[in-house]
Amino acid sequence: MNRFQRQLVLLSTLALSAIAWGQLVPQFGTITPVAGLVPTAVLHPVPPPCAKRAEPFDVDDYDGPFNKLIGRFSEKLDRTTVHAPRHHTSLKPCALSAGEKFRLFVNDSIDPVNFVGIAWSAGTDQLQHTDPSYGQGAAGYSKRVAAGAADNATGDFFGMFVYPTLFHQDPRYYRVGHGSVEGRLAHALEHSFVATSDSGKHIFNYSEWSTTVTTKLVTNLYHPDNPRGFGPTSRRVGFSVANDMGWDVLREFWPEIAHKLKLPFRTHEEYDAARVPAAPAPSDTGITEGSH
């Protein structure tokens, strides 16, 4: 075989290979080879089903005395409360994303009920001459109100957003809502030590204690009369944790208190029914009626 024949055979082989490769490419269709090898669930993971939060109280349904104040107070409690299902179910309450934790912080910080409590606390502090460097009169009262608002915003910022996001914990309280009074009381008191993680597991409540210590250190900056040192700070931390425990007890037994006040709370059955996610709509298979 001379040189010309060898070149002819080589060109023919290359041409046939190109034709064969061109016939194989259309088999991929519109899917690239890389995407075809990766499952769709990996590219677009589907979150597991969870029980969405249902509103157990509607302020518009209550027409009794002080309805606006009581309604706002109830909404504030339930904003940071998750109702555990009465009957056993594999569905867990939906975890909060970082953005939802931030919105929880904002909504709770601007709640009008907070300012009622801040105004009341500022008045009692002024009568007891707390923070004497603030002085008395309208100017002293205004400083105490501003400090109280800063205390509240600082606690909510670290306790509902920063540390729960950092430690992947749910800042809300999980209400049992049924069972013995002793068991429910113990559950409420232990929340300061046991939190629910974003994955639904029970872990130490790092957010609670980190928030309390950080808040006490930060508030020392604008409370010049606060006693400094380990001992006084520890007492303030202990008082703050005890106060949080009291709020958790109130969250746990608020439905019973609300029923005594004739507030329109949903029953357990209505609440659990509202938590069950709707069944997905049947997919369109493309088969028309009468087709075979």
Side-chain angles (χ1 to χ4, degrees), residues 120-140:
W120 176 266
S121 297
T124 58
D125 287 346
Q126 183 143 330
L127 290 175
Q128 297 171 359
H129 297 280
T130 305
D131 287 314
S133 61
Y134 287 164
Q136 294 293 310

Side-chain angles (χ1 to χ4, degrees), residues 168-206:
H168 302 284
Q169 294 181 329
D170 196 329
R172 301 169 296 179
Y173 170 75
Y174 280 63
R175 177 190 291 147
V176 176
H178 59 90
S180 66
V181 173
E182 294 80 6
R184 294 172 63 188
L185 181 61
H187 172 79
L189 294 177
E190 75 176 8
H191 178 244
S192 292
F193 303 92
V194 181
T196 303
S197 68
D198 290 340
S199 61
K201 298 179 180 179
H202 289 165
I203 58 176
F204 182 76
N205 199 339
Y206 298 104

Side-chain angles (χ1 to χ4, degrees), residues 62-133:
Y62 178 63
D63 233 356
F66 304 105
N67 61 329
K68 295 299 182 184
L69 179 60
I70 293 178
R72 289 290 185 182
F73 180 76
S74 184
E75 287 182 330
K76 176 178 173 59
L77 284 179
D78 280 293
R79 184 183 302 118
T80 53
T81 304
V82 178
H83 179 83
R86 187 173 187 180
H87 304 292
H88 178 73
T89 175
S90 59
L91 283 180
K92 297 179 180 179
C94 298
L96 298 178
S97 65
E100 289 171 328
K101 292 173 184 177
F102 184 77
R103 285 194 293 272
L104 181 67
F105 146 67
V106 172
N107 292 333
D108 197 72
S109 297
I110 64 176
D111 194 302
V113 175
N114 290 337
F115 299 98
V116 174
I118 291 170
W120 176 266
S121 297
T124 58
D125 287 346
Q126 183 143 330
L127 290 175
Q128 297 171 359
H129 297 280
T130 305
D131 287 314
S133 61

